[in-house]
Each structure stands twice: as structure tokens, then as C-alpha cells.
Amino acid sequence: MEILKVTREEVPGKVGIIPIGSVEQHGPHLPMGTDSLIAEWVARQVERRNEKEVLLFPTIYYGCSLEHNGFPYVGISYVTMINYLVDLLNATKDSGIKSIIIINGHGGNRSVLDIVARQINFTSSSFKVYVFNIYSDEELGLPGPDLHAGSVETSRIKAIDKDLVKDEKINEIKDFSYKEGVFSTLTVKEANQYGVIGNGIVVDAEKGIMSLIEVVNKVEELLKKIIS
């Protein structure tokens, strides 16, 4: 069930699922909302499989994307996200929801989400927050490493909506090398002028959907442990 479409009597006792991503550049070939679109797709599939137990929250599209400074992105600060999510989750707890699974599609949110989960989990006896991070470097028989806007994310978006991948733009990427320190001491733009952190791009929608389904299955395993 979607929380926007249920009545107040249907809220208590459910497990909430919150997809969160980012609005940031993903090379010249992928949409700005890549992380959000992937997290949203996964969350919706989990909800459809478990609609009696789950409340699907609206996607939180804006994340922490400072590592893309110099490229187009729309995001918020780490402190703002912590405060926002802690307030949101405390209100969710008071609404009678059993627990929350945050499905995170953006690597830049991970450290913040860890703090948020700790803040809630260590101050609540029953209501718990579980963070499921969707990584982009799974073994799919595609070129690796694959950290940002590479083969895995491109193949996943191709599987979700083939029209969102600008295949002809991939040819504009002439250099896939990147400097050490990206995501820690260097921005993406400082590490690679094309905004892609990987080792080439191979687009395979079939492998993309297989990887997405695998992620859905893993989230569903977590859900079953929570409700058991």
C-alpha cells in the first residue's frame, strides 16, 4: 500500500519503505535522477509483492551530492539531511508504524543514513530503522570497477526505461580513467572530466533487470526478518 492513498486506520503496524536517492549528474548519457529512479523502482516492486505488510512512502529525491560540486546537482547538506530524516522518522514512529526500511540508491547518502539510523535505533526500544544500500558494483559480467554512471547503472536505467539512456552520448566519453581519492578527497569532476567513475560502459538491459530483481529479493528477505 502507498501511504498517500491509505486511511489513518491502515497505518499502524505496517513496515514503512522509504526510497531515497539524489538529483545529480550521471555522465552525459544518464538522467539526473538515476539514483532516485533505481531506488524508487526497487521499493515499488517490494511494495507490490508485500502490499498487506508494507507502506510505501514518497521518494526522497534530494540527497547529499557535494561530491559532484562543479557539475549540475540539486541537493542538501549533510546536517540538513540528518535533521530532516530524524524528524521524519520520529513522526513515523509516533504514527504507529512498526519499523522503516530506507532503500538508498546514492552512495553519498550512506554515511548520513548510518548516523540517522543510529540516532533512532539507540533511542527507541521497538521502532527500528534499517538502511539498505543499493551498490552499483555488483558482479554482472560487465567491466569493473563501476562506481558511478557506469555499466551497472546504465544497464539498470535501460531496463527501467530504455528511453532515458542517451546511447549516442556514451561515445562522447573518451577517457574512463579517474584519479585516486574520488569520493573522499576529490570531487567527481576533479577525478574524471566526463563525470563517470568506472572502466568503460557496456549496456545490457537483460543483466540490468536481473540485478534489479536480485536487489528486490534481498530487500524482501530483510522485510521478512522484520515482520517475522
Side-chain angles (χ1 to χ4, degrees):
M1 295 184 285
E2 297 180 44
I3 195 168
L4 296 181
K5 299 178 181 178
V6 301
T7 63
R8 64 189 184 193
E9 285 77 13
E10 296 172 285
V11 171
K14 300 293 193 306
V15 175
I17 293 184
I18 304 177
I20 184 169
S22 69
V23 179
E24 66 186 33
Q25 73 85 29
H26 276 75
H29 61 296
L30 289 178
M32 293 278 288
T34 289
D35 294 338
S36 297
L37 292 169
I38 291 172
E40 188 172 69
W41 189 93
V42 170
R44 189 166 295 281
Q45 299 309 309
V46 175
E47 181 268 334
R48 287 174 176 170
R49 291 186 184 185
N50 305 273
E51 60 180 9
K52 292 183 179 180
E53 293 86 12
V54 162
L55 279 180
L56 178 61
F57 281 53
T59 302
I60 299 175
Y61 294 108
Y62 305 110
C64 299
S65 298
L66 284 176
E67 68 273 17
H68 292 279
N69 198 19
F71 279 128
Y73 78 90
V74 181
I76 58 178
S77 72
Y78 300 107
V79 172
T80 297
M81 176 169 277
I82 290 171
N83 290 330
Y84 175 84
L85 287 176
V86 168
D87 284 353
L88 175 67
L89 292 167
N90 278 326
T92 300
K93 175 182 66 176
D94 294 342
S95 296
I97 289 175
K98 181 178 181 179
S99 289
I100 284 287
I101 299 175
I102 296 175
I103 299 179
N104 175 41
H106 172 49
N109 296 334
R110 289 200 300 263
S111 58
V112 174
L113 292 175
D114 180 62
I115 293 172
V116 169
R118 287 170 175 266
Q119 177 67 37
I120 299 297
N121 292 340
F122 298 156
T123 58
S124 174
S125 59
S126 55
F127 178 89
K128 300 296 180 182
V129 176
Y130 303 85
V131 179
F132 186 97
N133 292 301
I134 303 175
Y135 294 97
S136 63
D137 55 357
E138 289 85 351
E139 292 293 331
L140 297 178
L142 300 171
D146 192 346
L147 302 177
H148 182 75
S151 298
V152 176
E153 286 189 317
T154 304
S155 296
R156 285 174 172 169
I157 292 296
K158 192 76 167 182
I160 291 172
D161 186 344
K162 61 182 178 59
D163 294 332
L164 292 178
V165 178
K166 309 300 182 187
D167 296 277
E168 71 281 2
K169 291 288 186 177
I170 297 175
N171 296 326
E172 295 181 3
I173 305 171
K174 305 302 182 183
D175 180 14
F176 287 97
S177 64
Y178 56 91
K179 296 179 182 178
E180 184 178 353
V182 63
F183 300 130
S184 58
T185 58
L186 296 179
T187 66
V188 172
K189 189 170 187 179
E190 290 171 324
N192 177 276
Q193 62 178 314
Y194 297 97
V196 177
I197 309 298
N199 183 25
I201 297 175
V202 174
V203 186
D204 191 326
E206 183 176 350
K207 289 183 178 180
I209 193 66
M210 288 172 58
S211 75
L212 286 168
I213 292 172
E214 182 180 352
V215 173
V216 172
N217 290 338
K218 289 179 179 178
V219 177
E220 194 170 29
E221 289 176 8
L222 173 60
L223 173 64
K224 291 185 183 303
K225 289 180 181 179
I226 295 171
I227 62 181
S228 61

